[in-house]
Amino acid sequence: MLAVVTGGSGFIGSHVVDKLRDRGIRVRIFDMSKPRNRDDVEYYQGSLLDIDAIQMAFSGADAVFHLAAIADVNEVFESPLRSEAINARGTINVLEAARWAKVKRVIYGSTIWVYSEVADSEVDEDTPLGSPTHLYTSTKLVGEYYCKAYSELYGLETTVLRYGIPYGPRSRPAGVIPIFVRRALEKQPITIQGDGLQFRKFIYVEDVAEGNALALKPQAANKTYNLEGNEKVSIKELAEIVKRIIGDVDIQYTEGRPGDFEGKEISNLRAATDLDWHPKVGVEEGIRRYIEWYKQSEEAKKNLWTTVDKSILE
Ligand SMILES: NC(=O)c1ccc[n+]([C@@H]2O[C@H](COP(=O)([O-])OP(=O)(O)OC[C@H]3O[C@@H](n4cnc5c(N)ncnc54)[C@H](O)[C@@H]3O)[C@@H](O)[C@H]2O)c1
């Protein structure tokens, strides 16, 4: 079996590649950037805006995991046109190329942000969605609509996965966990706005990747699944976990809003019953693994720097 992973050089996509390789699946990455963490996969460099390149990359593929996107909401805010082109047009390009290459299944990486405008506090995949106020969510939702339309109109099997808030090795440096870890390792105090009792749910990136691999199952055809974590954790608890692991860290509280939990309860029951998907890595263990990876990657950067011939800078 050959699976193409668009965005396979990115944070989540690189873990999807790992999970597929663990299952012995042949993998080809389609991405503008080179894969960073393994060289035992095929790599096709190209853009989602280049339909010919996508078509060539999909040749012979049985499945496509479509994760390439502008995934950073701040970048979407800064560059709306480019983001719309890559996330929305890029997704229809992927579906069209998959149709022509007779790909059996396209698995699309969406987000639980699509529930942002829903008033209910408990939601599942059948909850009617409101119209999004953020451009990022609009572009991701358009991708979902295109998947549905390609299933209906052309019989192309698609599966939509709405990821929760992922964390773990290879993640971007922004985000509460990377920031707390970085400050703690630099012996800077971790600062929390308010009482830190605001709760969040996170999902370890390898659990998200496992959900992608399981989405190849026949019963996932033309379905949508939430890949949401189980554990509710407060910002204060996150800081305490980081302190427990790294030690000798000062946690400071600044003026701010009191604790709230405006987050919705997003059901992951369908993924559990249909796909036998269950998040396995708890927050403390996940943060421990993230810290391990972060330290190693910082060390590797330092070593790289010492091997550079400094004369090139003169
Ligand atoms: N990270 C999150 O918090 C999160 C949450 C929910 C859903 N998602 C979705 O998951 C997917 C992966 O997100 P991520 O966090 O791994 O992002 P990422 O930025 O780490 O990876 C995205 C990859 O897409 C590639 N890419 C961007 N534009 C491209 C183009 N025009 N052509 C080809 N490749 C291009 C980039 O080079 C990068 O390797 C995205 O679709 C995102 O919307 C992310």
Side-chain angles (χ1 to χ4, degrees):
M1 177 181 187
L2 171 65
V4 175
V5 182
T6 78
S9 305
F11 166 42
I12 306 173
S14 66
H15 289 277
V16 172
V17 170
D18 290 347
K19 289 287 176 201
L20 297 174
R21 290 296 301 130
D22 290 349
R23 285 169 155 76
I25 294 172
R26 192 176 137 208
V27 173
R28 182 181 296 153
I29 291 175
F30 179 84
D31 201 300
M32 300 236 285
S33 312
K34 280 192 186 150
R36 281 170 296 171
N37 65 309
R38 58 191 309 158
D39 48 21
D40 62 342
V41 290
E42 296 167 41
Y43 171 55
Y44 197 109
Q45 187 164 35
S47 168
L48 287 178
L49 304 180
D50 181 351
I51 182 74
D52 295 337
I54 306 174
Q55 268 170 346
M56 275 191 269
F58 285 8
S59 157
D62 300 288
V64 169
F65 292 80
H66 176 41
L67 286 93
I70 303 299
D72 179 342
V73 287
N74 297 321
E75 201 178 330
V76 174
F77 178 80
E78 294 300 331
S79 313
L81 294 185
R82 185 170 157 267
S83 304
E84 188 274 343
I86 292 172
N87 293 4
R89 174 62 65 93
T91 298
I92 204 168
N93 283 346
V94 162
L95 291 162
E96 183 61 5
R99 176 165 85 101
W100 285 102
K102 302 206 178 337
V103 168
K104 292 181 196 74
R105 177 78 63 82
V106 174
I107 292 160
Y108 172 62
S110 186
T111 167
I112 55 162
W113 277 47
V114 298
Y115 297 112
S116 302
E117 310 310 318
V118 174
D120 305 357
S121 53
E122 290 180 18
V123 297
D124 65 17
E125 294 86 346
D126 293 327
T127 304
L129 305 174
S131 23
T133 43
H134 201 290
L135 277 169
Y136 170 69
T137 323
S138 311
T139 63
K140 295 304 294 183
L141 203 48
V142 164
E144 289 198 13
Y145 295 153
Y146 289 158
C147 287
K148 185 160 184 258
Y150 265 71
S151 301
E152 300 269 337
L153 298 176
Y154 305 112
L156 173 67
E157 285 187 2
T158 60
T159 303
V160 171
L161 300 177
R162 293 176 178 157
Y163 307 154
I165 307 171
Y167 73 101
R170 308 173 204 149
S171 71
R172 277 191 292 275
V176 61
I177 295 172
I179 291 171
F180 282 6
V181 167
R182 212 166 45 245
R183 287 189 71 86
L185 288 172
E186 287 167 2
K187 304 267 172 260
Q188 308 244 24
I190 293 177
T191 44
I192 295 177
Q193 255 196 323
D195 55 17
L197 296 180
Q198 52 274 44
F199 284 89
R200 295 287 174 271
K201 272 187 179 174
F202 295 89
I203 179 81
Y204 189 65
V205 65
E206 286 185 36
D207 283 327
V208 176
E210 180 70 14
N212 277 263
L214 291 172
L216 283 172
K217 290 184 177 186
Q219 59 268 39
N222 308 324
K223 296 252 187 71
T224 298
Y225 295 97
N226 296 326
L227 299 184
E228 167 72 319
N230 288 326
E231 242 176 309
K232 228 186 221 182
V233 55
S234 72
I235 300 299
K236 182 172 183 228
E237 280 168 329
L238 280 183
E240 281 163 359
I241 292 171
V242 171
K243 179 173 176 155
R244 250 196 318 278
I245 301 171
I246 297 178
D248 190 22
V249 181
D250 191 15
I251 301 174
Q252 293 176 357
Y253 294 85
T254 61
E255 282 287 302
R257 54 196 183 135
D260 58 0
F261 178 59
E262 285 172 11
K264 293 176 188 15
E265 288 293 336
I266 296 171
S267 168
N268 58 16
L269 198 62
R270 186 185 284 176
T273 41
D274 268 22
L275 307 178
D276 202 15
W277 177 78
H278 308 278
K280 292 199 182 84
V281 181
V283 173
E284 178 137 6
E285 173 59 19
I287 293 181
R288 199 178 289 281
R289 292 189 198 177
Y290 172 74
I291 292 172
E292 244 353 275
W293 168 82
Y294 180 79
K295 284 185 182 162
Q296 278 172 16
S297 67
E298 286 303 290
E299 207 48 43
K301 270 190 232 157
K302 259 192 247 155
N303 291 341
L304 184 69
W305 182 240
T306 53
T307 58
V308 168
D309 179 357
K310 306 265 185 337
S311 64
I312 61 169
L313 302 173
E314 285 158 10

